């Protein structure tokens, strides 16, 4: 049986296509138009050229849209596997001017420290319910404090998350999060914690959301000073002031991108301190031969560290959770680290998603990671 024609094909066959027909076409559909495994991206307006801009590995970065003859409607059809989530923008060319914009026909936006972009949800992708506020979930408390650091020679802001039923007589595991303010703002970390703890997916946990200096790429790239701050200043301070379990099993370092490198590096420099690592889309750039890693000067210390670690794997924690998006340039790097961690004698859980290097990808993997690291009541035991 022949497959059903795409909506854009049926519209194109109605020549001539009137502006009113396009109005009706757009009013009846969400954009991008998802039909099975095919997604139609659209732009309406006067232009000399329109391109879809994306960072999906395997696709051209700039994909041209076609103009529907006799109209001002531009379109391109992409095949996206089930469950895909893709961030994109449109580049509109008029004369000598090129303008990158979010899709004016698509209200879905993803946000990050560098701005916003439009989002396409392919068939089968749904925003996890536990990432959205639930009136049934009791809210934890956020407390801001400042930790003076001799190691980093600055005052370090930290936001503490205390679970809703926090008691001074309790005994809690500790999660230390790199780029903490970004996880809170762009990955709904507070809401996620509230929901996962309320749903008994995750143990009641104290979370320290840390923030880097303006030299993040230096501080997170295998910095001895950063590792000393975490392990010799922040950790003792928190364990002296809060009812924490204070054992390696009850300590976890977490981070994404360069924050994942910083987590692994700190555990490497302080073996036996942290029982678990939660590493998302780690910037684990390395070279097998030669020196051309393609990452630029900021990656030089990362490459040296990862090369050394791969050459001589060391057990730096008991368990390591690794996640990465298959549409990221870092996917091969992260896949390659899994057997290295296993060779070091650590238990590894590895999760891939049809997503990119983005905060909502990292948000969507938090239940998998946190429920494995600090599972809910009756499943998590302190040594």
């Amino acid at each position: 049986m022949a497959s059903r024609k795409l909506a854009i094909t049926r519209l194109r066959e109605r020549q001539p296509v009137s502006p009113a027909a396009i109005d009706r076409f757009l009013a009846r559909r969400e954009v991008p138009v998802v039909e099975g495994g095919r997604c139609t991206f659209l732009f309406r307006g006067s232009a000399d050229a329109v391109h879809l801009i994306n960072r999906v590995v395997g696709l051209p970065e700039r994909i041209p849209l076609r103009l529907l003859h006799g109209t001002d409607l531009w379109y391109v059809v992409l095949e996206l596997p089930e469950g895909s989530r893709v961030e994109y923008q449109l580049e509109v060319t008029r004369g000598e001017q090129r303008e990158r914009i979010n899709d004016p026909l698509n209200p879905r936006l993803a946000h990050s420290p560098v701005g916003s972009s439009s989002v396409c949800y392919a068939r089968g992708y749904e925003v996890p319910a536990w990432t959205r506020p639930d009136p049934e979930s009791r809210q934890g408390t956020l407390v801001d404090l400042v930790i003076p650091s001799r190691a980093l020679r600055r005052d370090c802001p930290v936001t503490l998350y205390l679970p809703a039923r926090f008691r001074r007589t309790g005994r809690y595991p500790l999660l230390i999060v790199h780029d903490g303010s970004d996880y809170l703002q762009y990955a709904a970390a507070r809401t996620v914690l509230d929901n996962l703890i309320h749903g008994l997916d995750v143990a009641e946990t104290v979370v320290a959301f840390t923030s880097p200096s303006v030299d993040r790429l230096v501080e997170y790239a295998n910095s001895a000073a950063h590792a000393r701050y975490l392990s010799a200043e922040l950790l003792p301070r928190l364990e002296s002031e809060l009812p924490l379990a204070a054992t390696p099993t009850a300590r976890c370092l977490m981070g994404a991108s360069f924050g994942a490198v910083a987590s692994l590096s700190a555990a490497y420099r302080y073996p036996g301190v942290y029982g678990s690592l939660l590493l998302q889309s780690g910037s684990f750039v390395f070279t097998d031969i030669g020196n051309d890693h393609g990452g630029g000067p900021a990656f030089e210390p990362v490459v040296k560290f990862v090369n050394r670690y791969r050459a001589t794997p060391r057990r730096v924690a008991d368990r390591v959770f690794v996640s990465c998006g298959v549409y990221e340039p870092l996917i091969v790097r992260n896949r390659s680290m899994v057997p290295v961690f296993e060779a070091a004698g650590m238990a590894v859980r590895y999760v891939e998603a049809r997503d990119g290097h983005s905060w909502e990808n990292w948000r969507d993997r938090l239940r998998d990671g946190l429920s494995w690291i600090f599972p809910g009541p009756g499943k998590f035991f302190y040594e």
Side-chain angles (χ1 to χ4, degrees):
M1 187 171 95
S3 60
R4 181 178 174 83
K5 290 182 179 179
L6 293 178
I8 190 67
T9 302
R10 299 196 302 273
L11 178 67
R12 191 174 63 234
E13 292 175 347
R14 294 176 187 170
Q15 292 292 341
V17 181
S18 67
I22 296 177
D23 290 340
R24 292 192 296 271
F25 178 85
L26 296 175
R28 294 169 181 170
R29 293 169 177 85
E30 291 186 349
V31 177
V33 183
V34 178
E35 299 166 282
R38 291 176 289 183
C39 301
T40 303
F41 295 80
L42 300 166
F43 173 77
R44 191 179 191 186
S46 175
D48 295 316
V50 182
H51 288 81
L52 179 73
I53 308 299
N54 72 93
R55 298 185 64 189
V56 176
V57 170
L59 293 178
E61 183 180 352
R62 299 173 72 251
I63 302 174
L65 277 68
R66 297 175 59 186
L67 181 62
L68 186 60
H69 180 71
T71 75
D72 61 353
L73 185 67
W74 301 76
Y75 70 95
V76 67
V77 180
L78 298 183
E79 291 193 14
L80 293 177
E82 185 169 348
S84 294
R85 180 191 163 280
V86 173
E87 297 185 10
Y88 69 98
Q89 288 188 307
L90 297 173
E91 181 185 84
V92 182
T93 302
R94 298 183 179 96
E96 298 296 320
Q97 292 188 335
R98 289 183 179 179
E99 181 185 14
R100 286 196 179 184
I101 61 172
N102 291 329
D103 187 344
L105 299 175
N106 179 6
R108 295 190 178 116
L109 293 174
H111 303 280
S112 77
V114 297
S116 63
S117 59
S118 297
V119 188
C120 173
Y121 297 164
R123 180 182 63 176
Y125 174 83
E126 293 184 7
V127 177
W130 46 267
T131 69
R132 293 172 166 158
D134 182 348
E136 298 296 319
S137 298
R138 294 177 59 184
Q139 288 191 349
T141 302
L142 295 181
V143 180
D144 292 326
L145 64 152
V146 175
I147 307 294
S149 172
R150 295 181 63 183
L152 294 176
R153 299 179 181 180
R154 66 180 177 92
D155 289 341
C156 300
V158 176
T159 298
L160 285 181
Y161 171 88
L162 305 178
R165 292 180 291 273
F166 177 80
R167 298 291 183 271
R168 286 285 170 180
T169 55
R171 193 163 171 255
Y172 300 95
L174 173 67
L175 174 67
I176 299 177
V177 180
H178 290 87
D179 294 309
S181 59
D182 290 339
Y183 267 101
L184 286 167
Q185 184 171 356
Y186 304 115
R190 180 182 185 178
T191 296
V192 168
L193 288 165
D194 289 343
N195 290 337
L196 296 183
I197 291 173
H198 176 80
L200 306 183
D201 292 298
V202 174
E204 293 184 329
T205 302
V206 171
V207 184
F209 292 98
T210 68
S211 295
S213 70
V214 292
D215 295 323
R216 174 180 178 272
L217 296 186
V218 174
E219 188 172 307
Y220 280 7
N222 188 32
S223 162
H226 176 72
R228 187 162 65 252
Y229 158 66
L230 291 179
S231 306
E233 295 176 337
L234 176 63
L235 184 60
R237 166 79 177 268
L238 296 179
E239 291 186 345
S240 70
E241 297 182 0
L242 295 167
L244 300 175
T247 64
T249 303
R251 300 184 190 122
C252 178
L253 288 177
M254 170 176 151
S257 194
F258 259 62
V261 175
S263 298
L264 178 62
S265 168
Y268 182 88
R269 291 176 178 275
Y270 288 83
V273 173
Y274 305 98
S276 301
L277 302 177
L278 201 162
L279 311 176
Q280 299 193 286
S281 303
S283 298
F284 300 127
V285 176
F286 57 85
T287 55
D288 284 322
I289 187 170
N291 299 313
D292 184 11
H293 51 76
F299 279 86
E300 286 293 335
V302 174
V303 172
K304 291 179 181 178
F305 167 61
V306 178
N307 281 353
R308 183 170 68 249
Y309 186 83
R310 285 170 57 82
T312 311
R314 179 193 297 176
R315 181 186 175 97
V316 298
D318 298 323
R319 309 205 299 169
V320 182
F321 177 89
V322 181
S323 71
C324 195
V326 298
Y327 300 147
E328 300 186 50
L330 290 166
I331 184 61
V332 173
R333 314 287 191 175
N334 279 263
R335 285 174 178 167
S336 299
M337 292 301 291
V338 172
V340 177
F341 293 144
E342 291 174 336
M346 297 182 286
V348 181
R349 182 170 182 185
Y350 177 60
V351 173
E352 291 185 353
R354 295 196 179 279
D355 210 322
H357 198 77
S358 68
W359 284 100
E360 292 187 7
N361 174 18
W362 303 330
R363 176 200 67 188
D364 290 359
R365 312 280 84 77
L366 286 177
R367 183 172 68 176
D368 285 341
L370 293 175
S371 65
W372 188 67
I373 297 294
F374 293 146
K379 301 175 184 177
F380 179 61
F381 301 94
Y382 307 113
E383 291 182 349

